[in-house]
């Protein structure tokens, strides 16, 4: 990783690496002003989850991947933080399951769109992928949203029945669900509006989720078909995990 | 607040205001690169605390103020985030209890020091205060620390028996406690190393703490004298509060 010099044996190596990736992305103009604050919120919840994929999150990941693979049409939505933290892995997933990605950002400016689109093109080139990258010319609107936040592509988000939208805003998540889509959200905060609104909520860190999905694809694993999947249980189990880990970290018998 | 236009009746007004204050501070060069991420972590814990001062935090605040007022010598340590979020209030507290403030930052650069010192001078002028502002010429070292992080002022941190160090780094907190000082930390994460190391841990948001202290001073309230104060209980109660509020937010009987 270019100029990142931390020792991989450092207990917080992964966390430091992610910060470094975001700082580089910020320098390149890929992030909105609120992106680093949002990442910090994620760090706090990840700390409470032990910075690991908990079993309920793995189950949700499997089911989500199953839905993506079996969809008539699906898309992976990418914003600044997602691209910075897991752009390569998500592009490889899109390539493997043969779907497009769509750059879809909350604070849409031509400059940020350009930097993100170019960055994703460079991943296509570097890894010999041929993923269709949407977002440059939005030609549809998500009903129920106003302004630039409503913009999307007809060939991507607008017409897909299953959408992976990591780190999504609550309003947009709700609007996509209202369109009848299966909306897969990745969010470290199990209580966020996005988490509660989504069809499938993966309470996990996006780079771990992307690596887990890639590994499931590469090993051609039998995936949870979701016959008994209940998203409320996924959320409840993550909250239960956090409260247990908090209680264990400090003796509450006072 | 200059160009901050959010509606005060917005349920997240205080949170949005704090973000705006930090963004302005970042523009002025007051913050290190990691400051916004740190603020985000705080936001997450504050959300779990209901964005309010819980009773155990108020008790710790009272006891902390009592220690500051009754110290032979005390000082308020200020970094970038603290100055951005509660600089005015902390300067007023320093004025009221007649102690200096000391700018003491983890990533010390001449540029950031200059901006912070000038900002605090401008608060002195604007509010007719005469608070001594230390930090420009550090002439002592905190034992056990290396490099710029060890620097401090003999007249401030080095010789004070009681120190209010909001949002402090864990290593420095530990080193100050090892010097035999009463170290008062303000940290929204009750599990952080700073929180666990401190003599008095106020698990609350710094601008609320500063306003609470000012109000206690102005009302000349009888302060908790700490006769039965146990810091471990303060920390445990905040963890208990978080686990309870999490459990209540979602029915865990599944």
């Amino acid at each position: 990783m270019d100029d990142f010099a931390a020792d991989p044996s450092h207990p917080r190596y992964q966390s430091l690496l992610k910060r470094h990736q975001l700082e580089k992305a910020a320098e390149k103009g890929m992030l909105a002003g609120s992106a680093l604050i949002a990442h910090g919120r994620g760090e706090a919840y990840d700390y409470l989850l032990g910075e690991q994929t908990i079993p309920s999150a793995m189950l949700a990941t499997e089911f989500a991947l199953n839905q993506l693979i079996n969809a008539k049409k699906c898309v992976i939505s990418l914003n600044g933080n997602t691209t910075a933290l897991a752009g390569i892995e998500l592009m490889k997933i899109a390539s493997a399951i043969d779907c497009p990605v769509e750059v879809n950002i909350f604070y849409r400016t031509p400059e940020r769109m350009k930097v993100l689109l170019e960055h994703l093109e460079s991943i296509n080139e570097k890894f010999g992928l041929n993923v269709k990258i949407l977002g440059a010319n939005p030609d549809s609107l998500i009903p129920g949203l106003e302004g630039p936040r409503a913009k999307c592509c007809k060939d991507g988000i607008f017409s897909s029945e299953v959408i992976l939208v990591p780190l999504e805003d609550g309003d947009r998540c709700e609007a996509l669900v209202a369109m009848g889509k299966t909306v897969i959200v990745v969010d470290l905060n199990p209580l966020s509006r996005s988490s509660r609104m989504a069809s499938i909520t993966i309470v996990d860190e996006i780079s771990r989720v992307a690596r887990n999905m890639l590994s499931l694809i590469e090993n051609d694993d039998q995936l949870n078909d979701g016959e008994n999947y209940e998203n409320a249980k996924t959320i409840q189990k993550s909250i239960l995990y956090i409260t247990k880990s908090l209680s264990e970290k400090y003796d509450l018998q006072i």
Side-chain angles (χ1 to χ4, degrees), chain A residues 22-246:
Chain A
L22 281 183
E23 279 167 23
K24 298 295 284 185
E27 279 169 26
K28 285 183 194 162
M30 281 165 60
L31 307 184
S34 55
L36 294 179
I37 294 179
H39 182 70
R41 283 197 299 277
E43 272 192 3
Y45 288 104
D46 204 13
Y47 175 78
L48 295 175
L49 287 166
E51 292 173 348
Q52 61 181 329
T53 300
I54 65 171
S56 58
M58 194 64 201
L59 201 77
T61 301
E62 276 188 44
F63 180 47
L65 183 59
N66 195 37
Q67 294 289 101
L68 286 166
I69 288 172
N70 291 307
K72 273 185 212 136
K73 194 164 181 186
C74 69
V75 67
I76 299 176
S77 170
L78 297 175
N79 64 13
N81 283 21
T82 305
T83 302
L85 295 171
I88 294 169
E89 292 79 3
L90 290 167
M91 285 287 281
K92 287 182 178 174
I93 293 168
S95 175
I97 67 179
D98 197 20
C99 79
V101 299
E102 178 169 343
V103 177
N104 193 34
I105 56 183
F106 194 82
Y107 299 104
R108 181 184 282 259
T109 68
E111 296 77 19
R112 281 187 64 218
M113 287 301 294
K114 185 168 178 284
V115 175
L116 286 166
L117 291 163
E118 284 174 358
H119 182 78
L120 293 170
E121 284 297 356
S122 77
I123 293 174
N124 254 344
E125 274 170 42
K126 187 169 177 185
F127 294 93
L129 308 174
N130 192 25
V131 174
K132 193 170 178 184
I133 299 164
L134 301 169
N137 302 300
D139 49 7
S140 291
L141 295 173
I142 302 169
L145 294 181
E146 277 172 24
R149 295 158 56 192
K151 288 186 181 177
C152 70
C153 293
K154 197 170 182 177
D155 269 358
I157 288 176
F158 193 80
S159 63
S160 291
E161 54 170 350
V162 180
I163 310 185
L164 174 60
V165 278
L167 320 185
E168 185 52 282
D169 157 71
D171 283 346
R172 200 149 56 188
C173 179
E174 186 172 7
L176 292 169
V177 171
M179 288 174 83
K181 300 176 187 306
T182 297
V183 178
I184 303 161
V185 154
V186 178
D187 196 323
L188 281 157
N189 177 1
L191 297 167
S192 76
R193 240 161 60 73
S194 298
S195 283
R196 288 180 283 117
M197 285 294 162
S199 320
I200 306 173
T201 306
I202 304 174
V203 183
D204 199 0
E205 193 277 322
I206 182 59
S207 71
R208 288 200 303 268
V209 173
R211 280 198 301 272
N212 287 338
M213 283 192 174
L214 264 187
S215 155
L216 289 166
I217 291 169
E218 282 162 9
N219 297 327
D220 203 13
D221 283 352
Q222 178 83 29
L223 298 175
N224 181 325
D225 66 359
E227 206 175 333
N228 297 308
Y229 184 83
E230 285 180 49
N231 201 52
K233 280 200 183 171
T234 298
I235 295 173
Q236 289 169 332
K237 281 184 180 169
S238 63
I239 296 172
L240 195 61
Y241 189 94
I242 290 173
T243 56
K244 272 194 181 166
S245 91
L246 272 168

